[in-house]
């Protein structure tokens, strides 16, 4: 039999092409789950993580779509072992990460973990730089389904190149993993990360205040302002990530939490709860599990909402949905109550030949139609959130 001889370069090129890709078919809608960072930072323990998994299921959050439990920074021991492998902190995670992942999986949830594309994580634990392939194999052996990959201690490394290496390593390890780039938007990842990861952070860290601004972190209203102009970069399998939710955390009022959640849904943002689920009030649970708001976030069309209009003391965000529907969120970002007068002719993106029914996604009722005018008062920091559907 005649052997088919291919040039070596072609063969190597083909092998490279096989691994130079992210896992397709994941995060077709923005990922949802719970992450340890916003409340616990590095003060984490396997018992607490198990409890969070239990509550995610028992509270109804899993049924509402929250299915990832992500352990953020602080899970590792300070050194790799003698074989260069990452090791979990033996006091915080005495049973090991595989056992924890097994537990999370036994609850019908998925398991996520954090590490860093630099030499060290932001809290001084071993980073992944130069260890990408062995780390990816280790994560696969533990059953990791989601990797949040940070950007501390990266030196002069190029973000696109560094994150692409980890993408290839994850793909080569063979276990489908949602790859979450946490590069803080420094090198505008929305312009290059569609083929690298499933989501990418667009800003520095969120913290639990309305509009504060620190050196490294900021309140959600400030983060919101930085999302303007990014909507065209998001879509199924590749999302802008304006950071995790602060809903229910001490620095936000109930109104702030409701508005923050509504606007993150408008942004088609990944919905990663970051509150202590053990302390969650029924009102906060109601916000986090508002299925009509979540349906806006998770809409299969996968369009991120955009800022349609900004006036002193109000912002109007709109989001195209499947079946010709639209979501509209009017946010009173001033400090006084505001009365919104609705003249639907101003909403020029709507089909001018159609009449829509207007459904209030917080009252859970139809409140009118677009052939009528009305006024609604909005309290400071509060939102109105509507779904418009063509009337039959
Ligand atoms: C930051 C990241 C946070 C958290 C923290 C852990 O860079 O933005 O979300 O992961 O690192 O040290």
């Amino acid at each position: 039999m005649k052997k088919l001889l291919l040039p070596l370069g072609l063969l190597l090129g083909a092998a490279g092409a096989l691994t130079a890709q992210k896992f397709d078919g994941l995060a077709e809608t923005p990922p949802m789950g719970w992450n340890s960072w916003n409340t616990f930072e590095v003060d984490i323990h396997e018992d607490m993580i198990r409890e969070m998994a239990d509550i995610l299921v028992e509270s109804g959050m899993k049924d509402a779509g929250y299915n990832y439990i992500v352990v953020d920074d602080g899970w590792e021991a300070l050194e790799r072992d003698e074989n260069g492998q990452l090791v979990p902190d033996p006091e915080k995670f005495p049973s090991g990460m595989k056992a924890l992942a097994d537990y999370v999986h036994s609850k019908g949830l998925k398991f996520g973990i954090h590490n860093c594309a630099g030499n060290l994580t932001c809290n001084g634990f071993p980073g992944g730089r130069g260890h990408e392939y062995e780390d990816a194999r280790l994560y696969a052996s533990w059953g990791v389904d989601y990797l949040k990959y940070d950007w501390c201690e990266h030196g002069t490394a190029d973000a696109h190149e560094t994150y692409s290496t980890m993408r290839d390593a994850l793909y080569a390890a063979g276990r489908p993993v949602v790859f979450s780039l946490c590069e803080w938007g420094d090198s505008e990842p929305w312009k290059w990360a569609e083929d690298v990861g499933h989501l990418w952070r667009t800003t520095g860290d969120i913290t639990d205040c309305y509009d504060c601004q620190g050196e490294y972190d900021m309140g959600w209203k400030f983060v919101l302002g930085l999302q303007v102009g990014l909507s065209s970069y998001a879509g199924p399998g590749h999302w802008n990530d304006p950071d995790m939710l602060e809903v229910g955390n001490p620095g936000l009022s109930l109104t702030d939490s409701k508005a923050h959640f509504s606007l993150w849904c408008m942004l088609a943002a990944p919905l990663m709860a970051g509150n202590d689920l053990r302390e969650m009030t029924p009102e906060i649970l109601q916000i986090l599990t508002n299925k009509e708001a979540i349906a806006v976030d998770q809409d299969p069309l996968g369009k991120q909402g955009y800022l349609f209009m900004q006036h002193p003391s109000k912002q109007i965000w709109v989001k195209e949905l499947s079946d010709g529907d639209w979501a509209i969120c009017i946010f009173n970002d001033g400090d006084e109550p505001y009365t919104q007068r609705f003249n639907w002719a101003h909403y020029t993106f709507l089909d001018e030949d159609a009449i829509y029914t207007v459904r209030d996604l917080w009252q859970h009722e139809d409140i009118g139609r677009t052939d009528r005018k009305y006024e609604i008062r909005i309290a400071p920091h509060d939102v109105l959130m509507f779904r418009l559907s063509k009337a039959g």
Side-chain angles (χ1 to χ4, degrees), residues 195-341:
D195 297 329
V196 179
H198 302 92
L199 59 156
W200 49 81
R201 279 274 296 279
T202 54
T203 67
D205 287 14
I206 198 167
T207 189
D208 64 330
C209 66
Y210 174 65
D211 61 356
C212 63
Q213 235 182 300
E215 196 180 343
Y216 300 110
D217 55 22
M218 58 204 129
W220 69 260
K221 184 186 155 192
F222 197 80
V223 176
L224 177 70
L226 297 173
Q227 309 312 309
V228 174
L230 300 187
S231 57
S232 64
Y233 296 101
H238 54 279
W239 307 102
N240 289 309
D241 176 9
D243 208 354
M244 302 174 290
L245 295 168
E246 292 287 1
V247 172
N249 283 339
L252 295 190
S253 69
L254 202 57
T255 302
D256 291 346
S257 279
K258 173 189 163 195
H260 168 34
F261 189 74
S262 304
L263 286 153
W264 261 231
C265 291
M266 295 299 289
L267 291 172
L271 298 178
M272 288 290 170
N275 54 323
D276 185 346
L277 302 179
R278 300 168 301 190
E279 312 273 311
M280 179 164 52
T281 63
E283 291 80 11
I284 291 296
L285 178 63
Q286 234 171 33
I287 291 175
L288 287 169
T289 55
N290 179 341
K291 290 188 180 170
E292 293 194 90
I294 292 172
V296 169
D297 181 79
Q298 297 286 304
D299 185 81
L301 194 60
K303 293 243 181 166
Q304 178 173 330
Y306 60 92
L307 183 63
F308 173 64
M309 214 185 265
Q310 181 155 28
H311 282 299
S313 81
K314 78 163 175 196
Q315 301 180 17
I316 302 183
W317 290 77
V318 302
K319 183 180 194 285
E320 189 181 356
L321 305 174
S322 43
D323 301 326
D325 287 9
W326 283 85
I328 298 181
C329 184
I330 297 146
F331 168 36
N332 178 353
D333 65 353
D335 293 324
E336 298 295 327
Y338 174 83
T339 298
Q340 173 70 31
R341 292 182 181 80

